[in-house]
C-alpha cells in the first residue's frame, strides 16, 4: 500500500449494557460481568424469549452539551454520548478538532429503530393521521453520525454506514483511510443501535434467539440476545498525538473488507479466511504475530463453527485465544465491532485477554486448540490483536490493532 500517516487511537467512548465510560466497560468485561436482563424498553411479554442487553440508567442530558434529547432518536443519542466521552478521554478540545478537520463515521444496523417503533405504534393505535410529524423527522439513519458532528461541532466528513453487524469495523476502516491519507487529522468512528421490537422479532423469527443468555463457543449455545449501545473511538495521526502528548491506546495497523454474497444469513468460512489474510497483508503482519482475536462470536451454532473454521484456514493448529464480548453485552448490532475495538484497546493497555462469559463447557465439536477464554479475563501480554465484524449478506471486515512502543 502507498505510504501515509501512521494512525493511532487516543480516545474511547462506551455507552454499553455493562456500563458507561471505557474504564467501567473494561472493568466489567475483564470480570466477565453480564449486562443482559429482561427487556424494559418495550413490552416483550408476547415473546417466549424476552432478554436483551440494554443500557440501564442512560440519561443523555448527563453527557451531552448541545443536543436536545427530545429532538433526536435513541441511536443518535447513544452515539453522541459515546463520542463526547471519547473526545474527553482523548483530551482533545473542540478547537483542535476543528483545526484537524475532524468528522464522524458511524455504523448501524437498524438506524433509528426505536423511533420507527414508536411511529408504528402510533399508526396502529390511531391511524396514519396520528403520526407525530416531528418524531417522523428523527427517522433517517444519517442522523446517527449527524448527532455526533452536531454535538461536537465537527465540520469534516460525516457519514452513517449501514452495513449491519460489521458496520463499526467499516467505519473504523474508512476513518483510518481518511486520517492515513491526510484528508483529516482526526476522525471519530464507531457505531450505535438501540434495542427495538423489530430487530428482536426478526432474530426470534429466524430461530436465532438464545433461551436466556448468549454462550458463544459453548457446547450448549443456542443463539444471540439483542443488545444496544454507542461505541466511539478517536483516531488521529501518530505525529499529532505525540505532538500534543496524548495517551495512545493502539495503532491501527490495517484492515480489510470483502463480501462473499453467498447467502443472506449464513457466513462463509472461505470468504472470512480471505478477509483475514487480506487484513494481515494490509497490516504487514503474519498469522504467528496475532496474539488475540476479538471474535464476532454471536453464539449461534453456525456462526461460531464457521468463524473457527475460517481461523483454522489462516492459523492452522495455532489459533490465537479467541473470545466473544457478546456473551456479556448481547449483540449490539452496528455497535458490535466498535465495542470489540474498545475491548482490544483496553486489552492492549491493561495486558489482559477479554473473556467469553457464560461458558462452562467449550464445544468439543469446534476441534482442538480453541481457547475461548471462558469465564473471566486473564493476564496476558498482547502486542497485535485482530477484531472481527461480520454481517448478513456476507459483509466481512477485519481490523488489526497493535501496541505502540
Amino acid at each position: 500500500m502507498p505510504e501515509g500517516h501512521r494512525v493511532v487511537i487516543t480516545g474511547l467512548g462506551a455507552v454499553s449494557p455493562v456500563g458507561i465510560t471505557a474504564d467501567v466497560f473494561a472493568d466489567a468485561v475483564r470480570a466477565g460481568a453480564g449486562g443482559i436482563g429482561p427487556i424494559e424498553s418495550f413490552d416483550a411479554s408476547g415473546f417466549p424469549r424476552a432478554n436483551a442487553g440494554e443500557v440501564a440508567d442512560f440519561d443523555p442530558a448527563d453527557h451531552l452539551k448541545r443536543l436536545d434529547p427530545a429532538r433526536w432518536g435513541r441511536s443518535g443519542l447513544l452515539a453522541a454520548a459515546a463520542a463526547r466521552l471519547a473526545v474527553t478521554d482523548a483530551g482533545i478540545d473542540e478547537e483542535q478538532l476543528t483545526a484537524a478537520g475532524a468528522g464522524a463515521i458511524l455504523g448501524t444496523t437498524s438506524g433509528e429503530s426505536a423511533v420507527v417503533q414508536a411511529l408504528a405504534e402510533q399508526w396502529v393505535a390511531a391511524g396514519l393521521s396520528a403520526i407525530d410529524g416531528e418524531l417522523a423527522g428523527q427517522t433517517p439513519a444519517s442522523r446517527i453520525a449527524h448527532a455526533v458532528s452536531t454535538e461536537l461541532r465537527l465540520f469534516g466528513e460525516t457519514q452513517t454506514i449501514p452495513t449491519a453487524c460489521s458496520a463499526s469495523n467499516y467505519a473504523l476502516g474508512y476513518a483510518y483511510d481518511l486520517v492515513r491519507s491526510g484528508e483529516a487529522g482526526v476522525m471519530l468512528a464507531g457505531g450505535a443501535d438501540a434495542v427495538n421490537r423489530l430487530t428482536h422479532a426478526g432474530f426470534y423469527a429466524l430461530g436465532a434467539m438464545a433461551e436466556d443468555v448468549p454462550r458463544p463457543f459453548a457446547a450448549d449455545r443456542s443463539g444471540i440476545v439483542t443488545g444496544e449501545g454507542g461505541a466511539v473511538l478517536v483516531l488521529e495521526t501518530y505525529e499529532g498525538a505525540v505532538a500534543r502528548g496524548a495517551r495512545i491506546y493502539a495503532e491501527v495497523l490495517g484492515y480489510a473488507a470483502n463480501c462473499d454474497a453467498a447467502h443472506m444469513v449464513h457466513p462463509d468460512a472461505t470468504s472470512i479466511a480471505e478477509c483475514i489474510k487480506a487484513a494481515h497483508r494490509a497490516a504487514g503482519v503474519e498469522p504467528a504475530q496475532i496474539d488475540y482475536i476479538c471474535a464476532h462470536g454471536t453464539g449461534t451454532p453456525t456462526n461460531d463453527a464457521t468463524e473457527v473454521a475460517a481461523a483454522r484456514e489462516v492459523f492452522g493448529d495455532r489459533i490465537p485465544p479467541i473470545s466473544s464480548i457478546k456473551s456479556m453485552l448481547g449483540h449490539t448490532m452496528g455497535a458490535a465491532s466498535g465495542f470489540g475495538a474498545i475491548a482490544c484497546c483496553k486489552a492492549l493497555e491493561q495486558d489482559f485477554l477479554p473473556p467469553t462469559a457464560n461458558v462452562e463447557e467449550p464445544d468439543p465439536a469446534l476441534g482442538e486448540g480453541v481457547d475461548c477464554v471462558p469465564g473471566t479475563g486473564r493476564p496476558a501480554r498482547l502486542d497485535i490483536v485482530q477484531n472481527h465484524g461480520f454481517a448478513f449478506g456476507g459483509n466481512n471486515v477485519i481490523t488489526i490493532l497493535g501496541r505502540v512502543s
Side-chain angles (χ1 to χ4, degrees):
M1 294 179 65
E3 289 299 319
H5 295 284
R6 293 175 66 185
V7 181
V8 295
I9 296 169
T10 57
L12 307 173
V15 181
S16 84
V18 295
I20 297 174
T21 76
D23 285 337
V24 172
F25 169 83
D27 288 347
V29 165
R30 189 168 188 168
I36 293 166
I39 293 171
E40 296 184 359
S41 59
F42 67 88
D43 181 4
S45 59
F47 291 97
R49 300 178 181 182
N51 283 343
E54 295 177 304
V55 181
D57 303 321
F58 172 58
D59 184 347
D62 291 341
H63 308 282
L64 304 177
K65 297 180 180 179
R66 293 197 176 92
L67 296 188
D68 176 358
R71 299 174 65 87
W72 296 83
R74 183 170 176 86
S75 296
L77 293 171
L78 289 166
R84 175 64 74 182
L85 290 168
V87 166
T88 300
D89 186 54
I92 189 167
D93 61 36
E94 291 183 15
E95 289 73 19
Q96 290 173 305
L97 291 173
T98 300
I105 312 296
L106 273 294
T108 191
T109 294
S110 302
E112 286 295 1
S113 50
V115 173
V116 175
Q117 176 182 307
L119 291 169
E121 290 170 353
Q122 291 177 355
W123 191 345
V124 169
L128 185 59
S129 62
I131 283 181
D132 180 342
E134 186 171 329
L135 184 62
Q138 299 177 13
T139 58
S142 60
R143 285 172 60 88
I144 295 174
H146 184 195
V148 172
S149 289
T150 300
E151 171 64 21
L152 295 168
R153 287 186 179 167
L154 307 181
F155 299 99
E157 186 154 357
T158 298
Q159 285 200 35
T160 302
I161 296 180
T163 46
C165 303
S166 59
S168 280
N169 258 0
Y170 271 102
L172 287 166
Y174 187 25
Y176 164 79
D177 286 339
L178 291 170
V179 176
R180 188 172 184 272
S181 67
E183 293 181 62
V186 177
M187 288 296 297
L188 275 67
D193 263 299
V195 164
N196 65 95
R197 182 185 298 276
L198 175 63
T199 302
H200 186 86
F203 279 99
Y204 178 75
L206 284 171
M209 191 73 67
E211 296 175 10
D212 45 16
V213 294
R215 296 179 175 85
F217 307 113
D220 61 347
R221 66 188 185 277
S222 59
I224 79 157
V225 168
T226 58
E228 67 177 2
V232 174
L233 300 90
V234 176
L235 283 67
E236 61 182 297
T237 63
Y238 173 77
E239 312 94 270
V242 170
R244 69 181 188 85
R247 170 187 50 199
I248 297 175
Y249 287 107
E251 181 172 1
V252 183
L253 300 177
Y255 79 100
N258 69 9
C259 181
D260 54 71
H263 193 279
M264 188 62 213
V265 299
H266 195 299
D268 181 82
T270 299
S271 180
I272 291 169
E274 288 304 315
C275 193
I276 295 171
K277 293 173 186 177
H280 290 178
R281 290 193 296 271
V285 302
E286 298 294 330
Q289 294 177 271
I290 303 298
D291 298 314
Y292 166 66
I293 298 172
C294 189
H296 189 62
T298 62
T300 65
T302 298
N303 177 92
D304 297 358
T306 302
E307 191 163 10
V308 169
R312 266 190 211 288
E313 191 170 330
V314 176
F315 295 97
D317 293 332
R318 182 214 163 262
I319 298 177
I322 178 170
S323 69
S324 174
I325 63 172
K326 289 182 179 69
S327 58
M328 296 164 272
L329 310 180
H331 193 333
T332 55
M333 305 296 152
S337 48
F339 282 125
I342 292 173
C344 285
C345 286
K346 282 296 187 181
L348 287 165
E349 179 197 34
Q350 299 178 5
D351 295 320
F352 76 98
L353 288 167
T356 307
N358 310 319
V359 176
E360 295 183 3
E361 180 188 354
D363 187 358
L366 296 176
E368 295 292 327
V370 177
D371 176 9
C372 68
V373 196
T376 59
R378 66 173 185 259
R381 164 77 183 198
L382 307 177
D383 289 308
I384 301 176
V385 298
Q386 179 171 306
N387 184 34
H388 288 185
F390 312 143
F392 285 171
N395 290 290
N396 309 310
V397 195
I398 309 293
T399 51
I400 309 293
L401 307 180
R403 181 186 296 268
V404 175
S405 57

